[in-house]
């Protein structure tokens, strides 16, 4: 039976398998309680990763040493606020693993407070930081305690959120989340991965956006009866939008902005940058621009695309 070696005994196994470090892929999943970490972990398990949920940070180093010793190549670990006082040491541990050559991807799942409150209300689960919540009989007071716990959790996880690729799960379905996670981990290794995301302003701005561009002022195919039911991926809509100079001008403006700053972001050791393009319904204009931008930037950078309002249909 294999056991986790004591930290002081890990030097020899790590050195003995140093040649395999380059083939060791580690995905760390963190995020808000109720944001979908279990769904993301299942997606990684389906993709062939050996998955461990709620690993205490104190066991991270010996666990990785054991996995290297056993010549594992794809490992996923979920950590959350239940780890308590040991959470602050995780960013430093991750930096150490990167210096050792471990291919590390960090995913942070987030959601709006309203979405989290609704999920807890539907499942009747208790938030790990709201121990007093179950003792409250008054519904408004229970919700107040829950919101306080969520706010505290955001504060405790702030350092883990920085530097991670953030996925906003507020209004996406589990199948969408699984698809997004699999796309991120399958993206080719590069200095920077770009995620272009279309969305509808009427359903809120994505929490995972690093940059947000509002394209609601552009000509809208929604008002053309023959195009209303189509999307920005359909040839008829593409041709119609290309006929309007403002659409081309918007593309060039976004392109030039990103070209100006992407190298600086890469030099700042950013792994992911999410560029969100929003229109009224998230169906035509934003979808068209995301498709074009992903195609254009994909020649130089690893570029992914998401269509928040379409992917779940």
């Amino acid at each position: 039976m294999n056991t986790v070696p004591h930290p002081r005994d890990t030097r020899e196994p790590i050195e003995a398998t140093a040649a395999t470090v380059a083939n060791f892929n580690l995905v760390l999943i963190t995020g808000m309680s109720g944001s979908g970490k279990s769904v993301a972990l299942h997606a990684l398990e389906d993709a062939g990763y050996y998955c461990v949920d709620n690993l205490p940070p104190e066991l991270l180093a010996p666990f990785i040493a054991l996995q290297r010793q056993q010549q594992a190549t794809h490992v996923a670990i979920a950590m959350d606020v239940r780890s308590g006082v040991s959470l602050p040491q995780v960013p430093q541990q991750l930096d150490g693993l990167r210096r050792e050559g471990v291919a590390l991807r960090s995913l942070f799942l987030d959601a709006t407070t309203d979405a989290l409150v609704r999920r807890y209300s539907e499942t009747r689960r208790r938030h790990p930081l709201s121990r007093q919540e179950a003792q409250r009989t008054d519904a408004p007071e229970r919700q107040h305690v829950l919101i306080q716990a969520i706010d505290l959790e955001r504060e405790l996880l702030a350092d883990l959120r920085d530097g991670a690729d953030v996925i906003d799960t507020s209004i996406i379905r589990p199948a969408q989340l699984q698809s997004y996670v699999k796309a991120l981990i399958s993206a080719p290794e590069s200095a920077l991965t770009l995620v272009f995301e279309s969305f509808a302003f009427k359903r809120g701005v994505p929490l995972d956006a690093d940059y947000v561009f509002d394209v609601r002022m552009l000509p809208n195919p929604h008002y053309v009866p023959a195009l209303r039911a189509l999307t920005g991926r359909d040839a008829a809509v593409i041709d119609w939008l290309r006929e309007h100079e403002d659409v081309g001008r918007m593309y060039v403006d976004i392109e030039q902005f990103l070209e100006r700053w992407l190298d600086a972001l890469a030099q700042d050791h950013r792994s992911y940058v999410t560029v969100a393009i929003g229109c009224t319904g998230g169906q035509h204009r934003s979808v068209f621009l995301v498709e074009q931008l992903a195609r254009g930037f994909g020649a130089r950078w690893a570029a992914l695309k998401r269509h928040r309002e379409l992917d779940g249909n």
Side-chain angles (χ1 to χ4, degrees), residues 166-177:
V166 181
I167 302 178
D168 180 6
T169 70
S170 301
I171 61 174
I172 65 174
R173 301 175 182 177
Q176 284 178 268
L177 176 56

Side-chain angles (χ1 to χ4, degrees), residues 105-107 164-168 179-185 187-188 190 192-199 206 208-213 254 258 262 265 270-277 286 289-291 293-295 297-298 301-308 311:
R105 294 176 184 260
S106 182
L107 306 183
D165 182 52
V166 181
I167 302 178
D168 180 6
S179 176
Y180 292 171
V181 169
K182 290 178 180 178
L184 284 172
I185 65 170
S190 67
L192 189 68
T193 296
L194 298 177
V195 180
F196 293 98
E197 179 175 13
S198 67
F199 72 95
D208 50 15
D210 295 296
Y211 297 102
V212 177
F213 293 94
I254 297 174
L258 294 176
L262 284 180
L265 289 167
R270 291 288 297 274
S271 298
Y272 304 94
V273 172
T274 299
V275 180
I277 313 292
S286 61
L289 285 168
V290 161
E291 291 285 331
L293 288 164
R295 182 178 297 110
F297 281 90
W301 308 90
L304 305 177
K305 54 189 177 183
R306 299 176 188 161
H307 299 298
R308 192 182 71 178
D311 290 342

